[in-house]
């Protein structure tokens, strides 16, 4: 059901061209934040306007779109963004990671490895990895230009001195292609290893901050660390209570007011696929709940 | 037991239906018409037009109705509509010196060519609730004077003739467009003014107030505040001349600021400038104070580190549509990030307990 009052995928073609030029530049200079003339979108800034603009510029009528938020297809904002493109582009949508040609995500990378036929679009709130060390854009741009990342290393070192480990658990900074320090968006650091050497194109859109950046396929992405304090991806020390997966990122769900809790895959498609294949976790068994 | 977070689609639909019902309010009461809003809540309409950067009182009134009177939401609706509109070109600069003023006051001269015109102002009203308004009732017509012939020159032009105020020159460069190009810093004054014209009124007011209390003081006098209609013309390349296409209402404020001179500039008056759609007095006044405070660099003044002097701080945080979106996005689910923080805190606590 497309809305014919608007152009395919909402944005006019001139705007899409402008965004595509920014995307091409971003792919040519991996990890570099390309300023682009971000448009006001019909959803609020901070709710995925950057990702939506990048997706709109990449979509073709033959694409199959998947939208996730916190790893799940059915969280409210994922539903809202998927509906937006159903309405304005009329593209096919899916919840299956393997069927999608374009996946827009907030805060997660799917557990199922991506392929060369896929584009992963990240929604980015604050694209600047140095922002909370230096609030001025004029300064941070200079720091990137000069490859002056000492401040970041001092911050990580101070974390270790104070806490015994680097106290950043999401939006963990990475170095891209041995050049730019990049914010991978607020994905848990558990997901960081999936950024590197991915066969898929990874695009990052920050609407409010007017920035686009990218990781072309098979780019080397290294999470910042020290030789004596190597980077460790972390997750809850449990297996999924529904599908039994031990290697997926888990959400903790509080089940009563007495401290009982269960752990479930944050990637809903990954979990369902496993259960459909007969895998059962501690509390799993049926697929009920989902009819609620 | 575990309730999967399914059913998001239905929940959203139902929430929106609830919203529509709440927006309408008691169906026994007559529905508010867009015309009533445009006619009787004109200052609200003006604010939405100014911060929405779109001059269309009808659409602004509709946005206010749809937004249930939430002004920032109404501004957002207008912005999201505006962004889809095609751009045909730029108009010829409006001639505010030719404004048909309904209000024009100067705080720097007791009388001046064109005179002082109070117009429809809250100034000097006693802020006593008028209970007559709560009852239905007609209004007596306001007395009318014949319009005064003759020009209404800008106050600053009078000072300029004597060489007492810093001369503003036309750079001749086309006006930048904040909505079509990403903001680059440092910004030109034209770009700063463009950002301030659509800036949140409350934010601009607070910044202007802070300069009056010493955070970047600029000693501002209201040289002139004028409100009225101006003609808008567009150059049509096919015709080779400009054609008048519309009339719009504007509020324009020019402050005259004391300036004792610096290494680069002689002692003279300087000005701050404010311009907004519709009758929008507080906004244009506040804007002119902030504009002046931001000019410290070009005038060789000292930067005392006041917020209103900080171009990056002001321009990056003045837009209420950006600000409210980012502020309110923290209502979105963050349980993936929160989970990773939970694990970190548990690990650090376990470590500390050892």
């Amino acid at each position: 059901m497309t809305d014919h009052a608007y152009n395919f995928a909402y944005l006019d073609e001139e705007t899409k061209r402008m965004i595509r030029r920014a995307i091409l530049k971003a792919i040519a200079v991996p990890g570099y934040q390309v300023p682009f003339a971000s448009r006001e979108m019909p959803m609020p800034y901070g709710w995925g306007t950057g990702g939506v603009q990048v997706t709109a510029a990449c979509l073709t009528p033959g694409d199959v779109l998947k939208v996730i938020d916190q790893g799940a297809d059915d969280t409210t904002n994922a539903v809202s963004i998927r509906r937006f493109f159903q309405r304005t582009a009329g593209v096919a949508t899916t919840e299956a990671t393997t069927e999608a040609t374009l996946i827009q995500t907030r805060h997660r990378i799917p557990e199922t490895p991506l392929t060369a036929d896929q584009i992963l679009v990240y929604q980015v709130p604050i694209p600047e990895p140095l922002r909370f060390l230096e609030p001025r854009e004029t300064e941070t741009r200079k720091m990137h230009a000069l490859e002056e990342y000492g401040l970041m290393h001092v911050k990580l070192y101070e974390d270790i001195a104070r806490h015994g480990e680097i106290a950043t658990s999401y939006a963990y900074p990475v170095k891209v292609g041995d050049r730019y320090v990049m914010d991978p968006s607020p994905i848990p650091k558990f997901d960081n290893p999936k950024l590197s050497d991915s066969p898929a194109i990874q695009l990052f859109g920050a609407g409010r901050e007017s920035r686009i950046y990218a990781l072309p396929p098979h780019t080397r992405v290294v999470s910042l660390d020290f030789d004596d304090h190597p980077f460790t991806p972390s997750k809850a020390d449990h297996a999924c209570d529904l599908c039994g997966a031990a290697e997926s990122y888990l959400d903790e769900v509080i089940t009563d007011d007495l401290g009982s809790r269960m752990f479930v895959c944050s990637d809903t498609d990954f979990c369902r696929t496993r259960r459909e294949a007969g895998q059962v976790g501690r509390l799993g068994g049926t697929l009920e709940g989902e009819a609620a | 037991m575990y309730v999967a977070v399914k059913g998001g689609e239905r929940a959203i639909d139902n929430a929106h239906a609830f919203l529509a019902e709440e927006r309408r309010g008691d169906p026994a009461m007559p529905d508010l018409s867009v015309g009533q809003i445009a006619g009787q809540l004109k200052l609200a309409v003006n604010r939405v037009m100014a911060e929405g950067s779109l001059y269309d009182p009808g659409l602004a009134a509709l946005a206010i109705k749809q937004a249930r009177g939430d002004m920032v939401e109404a501004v957002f609706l207008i912005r999201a509509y505006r962004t889809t509109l095609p751009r045909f070109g730029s108009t010829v600069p409006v001639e505010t010196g030719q404004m048909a003023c309904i209000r024009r006051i100067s705080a720097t001269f007791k009388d001046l060519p064109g005179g002082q015109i109070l117009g429809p102002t809250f100034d000097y009203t006693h802020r006593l609730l008028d209970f007559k308004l709560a009852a239905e009732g007609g209004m007596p017509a306001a007395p009318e004077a014949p319009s005064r012939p003759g020009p209404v020159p800008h106050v600053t032009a009078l000072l300029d003739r004597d060489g007492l105020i810093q001369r503003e020159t036309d750079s001749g460069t086309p006006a930048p467009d904040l909505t079509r190009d990403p903001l680059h810093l440092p910004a030109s004054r034209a770009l700063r003014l463009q950002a301030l014209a659509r800036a949140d009124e409350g934010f601009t007011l607070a910044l202007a107030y802070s300069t009056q209390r010493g955070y970047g003081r600029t000693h501002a006098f209201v040289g002139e505040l004028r409100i009225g209609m101006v003609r808008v013309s567009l150059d049509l390349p096919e015709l080779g001349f400009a054609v008048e296409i519309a009339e719009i209402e504007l509020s324009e404020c020019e402050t005259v600021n004391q300036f004792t001179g610096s290494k680069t500039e002689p002692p003279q008056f300087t000005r701050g400038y404010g311009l907004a759609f519709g009758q929008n007095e507080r906004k244009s006044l506040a804007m002119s104070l902030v504009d002046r405070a931001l000019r410290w660099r070009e005038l060789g003044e000292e930067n005392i580190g006041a917020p209103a002097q900080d171009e990056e701080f002001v321009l990056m945080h003045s837009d209420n549509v950006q600000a409210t979106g980012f502020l309110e996005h923290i209502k979105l689910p963050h349980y993936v990030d929160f989970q990773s923080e939970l694990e970190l805190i548990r690990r650090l606590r376990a470590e500390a307990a050892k």
Side-chain angles (χ1 to χ4, degrees):
Chain A
M1 193 66 75
T2 38
D3 215 325
H4 292 289
Y6 291 103
N7 191 34
F8 175 77
Y10 183 76
L11 294 174
D12 61 279
E13 293 304 314
E14 275 304 302
T15 298
K16 287 189 200 170
R17 280 184 62 188
M18 175 274 293
I19 296 172
R20 287 178 194 140
R21 281 196 289 267
I23 291 173
L24 289 174
K25 183 170 179 183
I27 289 176
V29 193
Y32 171 73
Q33 301 167 50
V34 182
F36 81 110
S38 180
R39 296 292 191 257
E40 266 136 347
M41 299 299 284
M43 61 273 289
Y45 284 115
W47 296 54
T49 55
V52 166
Q53 289 180 76
V54 170
T55 297
C58 290
L59 272 186
T60 63
D63 271 312
V64 181
L65 176 70
K66 171 181 165 82
V67 183
I68 51 173
D69 183 349
Q70 315 291 303
D73 296 272
D74 48 16
T75 36
T76 42
N77 206 43
V79 169
S80 167
I81 291 171
R82 184 166 58 242
R83 275 190 178 181
F84 176 73
F85 284 114
Q86 279 170 334
R87 181 169 169 190
T88 58
V91 292
T93 61
T94 182
E95 296 197 0
T97 302
T98 49
E99 284 171 17
T101 56
L102 194 153
I103 303 172
Q104 179 167 332
T105 180
R106 177 168 171 264
H107 296 190
R108 276 309 313 272
I109 300 175
E111 306 288 0
T112 311
L114 302 176
T115 67
D117 302 324
Q118 294 178 310
I119 299 176
L120 183 61
V121 177
Y122 296 76
Q123 301 172 200
V124 181
I126 304 274
E128 178 50 71
L130 305 169
R131 178 62 67 240
F132 299 110
L133 305 172
E134 167 54 62
R136 282 174 196 283
E137 178 70 9
T138 38
E139 284 301 314
T140 53
R141 284 191 79 77
K142 222 178 288 170
M143 289 159 75
H144 283 293
L146 299 172
E147 214 176 334
E148 176 54 66
Y149 296 127
L151 203 55
M152 179 62 92
H153 286 105
V154 169
K155 191 257 170 200
L156 299 179
Y157 169 76
E158 285 179 350
D159 268 8
I160 292 171
R162 204 171 303 154
H163 307 293
E165 68 170 285
I166 294 169
T168 298
S169 59
Y170 63 92
Y172 190 101
V174 294
K175 194 154 195 184
V176 176
D178 219 21
R179 176 59 180 85
Y180 286 100
V181 167
M182 185 190 95
D183 182 311
S185 88
I187 55 173
K189 68 176 184 173
F190 172 82
D191 280 341
N192 271 23
K194 297 183 200 144
L195 293 162
S196 192
D197 199 32
S198 172
I201 296 176
Q202 301 177 77
L203 304 175
F204 298 77
R208 193 179 37 78
E209 301 275 340
S210 311
R211 297 288 184 272
I212 286 172
Y213 52 102
L215 296 173
H218 303 292
T219 303
R220 200 169 106 87
V221 180
V222 178
S223 301
L224 299 183
D225 62 0
F226 297 100
D227 290 344
D228 52 348
H229 279 89
F231 171 81
T232 47
S234 64
K235 62 180 276 282
D237 193 14
H238 292 268
C240 173
D241 283 328
L242 295 179
C243 79
E247 71 283 10
S248 72
Y249 190 76
L250 301 174
D251 285 338
E252 183 173 331
V253 181
I254 296 173
T255 50
D256 59 27
D257 56 1
L258 303 169
S260 306
R261 56 200 66 207
M262 65 184 290
F263 290 86
V264 294
C265 292
S266 109
D267 186 333
T268 48
D269 171 59
F270 178 77
C271 195
R272 197 194 45 231
T273 309
R274 278 177 56 86
R275 279 182 288 153
E276 280 168 0
Q279 307 275 359
V280 179
R282 185 174 66 94
L283 301 170
T286 65
L287 296 178
E288 33 155 354
E290 282 178 43
Chain B
M1 265 312 287
Y2 175 58
V3 182
V5 207
K6 278 271 177 186
E9 306 214 9
R10 197 152 30 111
I12 291 174
D13 284 340
N14 291 344
H16 291 171
F18 191 8
L19 170 70
E21 207 175 277
E22 282 289 303
R23 187 203 60 69
R24 175 59 181 86
D26 182 358
M29 298 294 290
D31 192 24
L32 196 55
S33 77
V34 167
Q36 286 173 325
I37 296 171
Q40 297 177 44
L41 297 178
K42 198 170 163 220
L43 299 189
V45 167
N46 290 344
R47 183 174 170 196
V48 170
M49 292 197 301
E51 293 170 30
S53 301
L54 185 71
Y55 194 92
D56 190 322
L59 287 180
L62 173 63
I64 291 168
K65 178 174 176 171
Q66 187 178 334
R68 309 174 64 194
D70 179 335
M71 299 300 278
V72 176
E73 179 69 21
V75 170
F76 182 16
L77 287 169
I78 290 298
R79 291 269 192 93
Y81 176 77
R82 176 194 196 273
T83 193
T84 65
L85 299 175
R87 274 125 226 263
F88 301 116
S90 300
T91 67
V92 176
V94 291
E95 198 47 78
T96 52
Q98 304 291 324
M99 181 184 280
C101 296
I102 56 162
R103 173 160 165 79
R104 190 271 191 135
I105 53 164
S106 170
T108 51
F109 295 101
K110 185 169 184 179
D111 199 7
L112 65 167
Q116 305 258 20
I117 307 164
L118 285 184
T121 175
F122 292 123
D123 297 349
Y124 323 111
T125 62
H126 295 141
R127 269 58 170 209
L128 303 170
L129 277 177
D130 182 357
F131 294 103
K132 285 203 298 284
L133 287 180
E136 320 262 327
M139 279 282 145
E144 248 178 85
S147 70
R148 217 193 294 208
V152 187
H154 279 121
V155 169
T156 49
L158 305 174
L159 290 168
D160 192 20
R161 210 181 37 208
D162 298 336
L164 293 174
I165 193 161
Q166 192 209 19
R167 184 155 290 169
E168 303 291 355
T169 49
D170 182 357
S171 68
T173 50
D177 187 346
L178 191 61
T179 66
R180 298 283 119 168
D181 296 301
L183 178 66
H184 282 293
L185 297 169
S188 65
R189 187 173 177 213
L191 194 64
R192 293 198 305 249
L193 287 169
Q194 196 174 97
L196 289 172
R198 54 171 21 208
D200 182 74
E201 180 176 311
F203 180 80
T204 317
L205 169 65
L207 279 176
Y209 178 48
S210 73
T211 67
Q212 291 183 293
R213 290 194 65 261
Y215 290 85
R217 187 162 180 223
T218 60
H219 311 270
F221 297 101
V222 175
E224 176 166 3
L225 173 73
R226 56 170 67 196
I227 300 170
M229 303 298 284
V230 296
R231 286 191 282 267
V232 179
S233 316
L234 186 69
D235 258 325
L236 296 182
E238 293 88 341
L239 297 179
F241 54 86
V243 175
E244 192 183 313
I245 53 166
E247 264 198 315
I248 61 172
E249 190 180 42
L250 290 177
S251 297
E252 183 189 51
C253 178
E254 283 194 284
T255 57
V256 176
N257 301 68
Q258 187 196 102
F259 178 60
T260 53
S262 67
K263 280 192 198 115
T264 54
E265 298 289 327
Q268 60 192 318
F269 291 115
T270 56
R271 62 186 115 188
Y273 189 76
L275 187 74
F277 284 149
Q279 180 170 3
N280 228 321
E281 246 174 272
R282 186 183 301 118
K283 172 62 185 286
S284 55
L285 192 56
M287 177 176 166
S288 59
L289 263 66
V290 177
D291 168 51
R292 179 59 186 78
L294 286 171
R295 297 182 65 198
W296 64 271
R297 199 191 304 267
E298 72 180 275
L299 296 170
E301 289 174 322
E302 189 192 353
N303 177 9
I304 62 157
Q309 288 181 309
D310 188 333
E311 168 184 278
E312 186 161 348
F313 179 82
V314 173
L315 298 190
M316 292 293 211
H317 303 111
S318 60
D319 191 297
N320 54 23
V321 177
Q322 288 178 0
T324 200
F326 197 54
L327 177 85
E328 297 197 44
H329 106 278
I330 60 175
K331 293 181 291 189
L332 287 176
H334 280 81
Y335 29 80
V336 162
D337 303 338
F338 186 69
Q339 185 63 37
S340 60
E341 291 285 84
L342 263 180
E343 283 150 25
L344 177 69
I345 292 292
R346 282 178 184 147
R347 214 162 47 238
L348 293 180
R349 283 175 64 90
E351 201 57 40
K354 269 185 199 167

